[in-house]
């Protein structure tokens, strides 16, 4: 089992930056990949960025060049640095992971989400 807890969301003005975090805890062998999704009001949940244990990253076109995903495996933590924020970035941001459990089992997990609001 894995529990994901996000933090760091808040209200910022357009053009400002924000860094959110997700800490994983529980019983697992490995977590790969880890990702950030977001869901804007009235919209579906979409992938923002993901990162492998080895540090390989992927980004949605809408955030590429502005957002940076990183992870600290020793701390079981993943980060999302968000720069040049736009109103359209307003959403609940969710941490997601695929975890390898005992006996070859695996499962996916979601965090509870953290609200990011970009508004003047």
């Amino acid at each position: 089992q894995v529990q994901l807890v996000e933090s760091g969301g808040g209200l910022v003005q357009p053009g400002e930056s924000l860094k959110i975090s997700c800490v994983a805890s529980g019983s697992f062998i490995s977590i790969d990949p880890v990702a950030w999704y977001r869901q804007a009001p009235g919209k579906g949940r979409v992938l923002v960025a993901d990162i492998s244990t080895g540090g390989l990253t992927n980004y949605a076109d809408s955030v590429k060049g502005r957002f940076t995903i990183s992870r600290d495996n020793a701390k079981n933590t993943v980060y999302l640095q968000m720069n040049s924020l736009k109103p359209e970035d307003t959403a609940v941001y969710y941490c997601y992971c695929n975890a390898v459990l005992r006996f070859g089992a695996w499962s996916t997990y979601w965090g509870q989400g953290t609200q990011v609001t970009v508004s003047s």
Side-chain angles (χ1 to χ4, degrees):
Q1 301 286 357
V2 177
Q3 183 177 15
L4 304 175
V5 179
E6 303 97 331
S7 63
L11 174 64
V12 297
Q13 295 184 343
E16 295 184 340
S17 298
L18 195 66
K19 188 174 185 177
I20 56 178
S21 303
C22 172
V23 179
S25 62
S27 180
F28 51 85
I29 297 174
S30 63
I31 297 178
D32 195 12
V34 186
W36 286 100
Y37 284 73
R38 69 185 183 187
Q39 186 167 16
K43 304 294 184 180
R45 190 172 300 183
V46 298
L47 176 68
V48 176
D50 62 63
I51 184 169
S52 70
T53 300
L56 298 177
T57 59
N58 292 288
Y59 298 92
D61 289 340
S62 59
V63 306
K64 192 171 185 178
R66 298 188 297 119
F67 290 12
T68 301
I69 187 172
S70 61
R71 64 189 291 174
D72 186 333
N73 292 329
K75 297 180 179 179
N76 289 325
T77 302
V78 62
Y79 307 93
L80 186 66
Q81 176 67 51
M82 301 178 287
N83 298 328
S84 301
L85 283 163
K86 305 174 181 179
E88 51 262 45
D89 294 319
T90 295
V92 177
Y93 284 71
Y94 296 92
C95 186
Y96 166 91
C97 77
N98 177 76
V100 178
L101 310 175
R102 299 183 67 183
F103 311 116
W106 62 272
S107 187
T108 56
Y109 298 89
W110 292 94
Q112 84 289 345
T114 185
Q115 177 70 49
V116 174
T117 302
V118 185
S119 177
S120 59

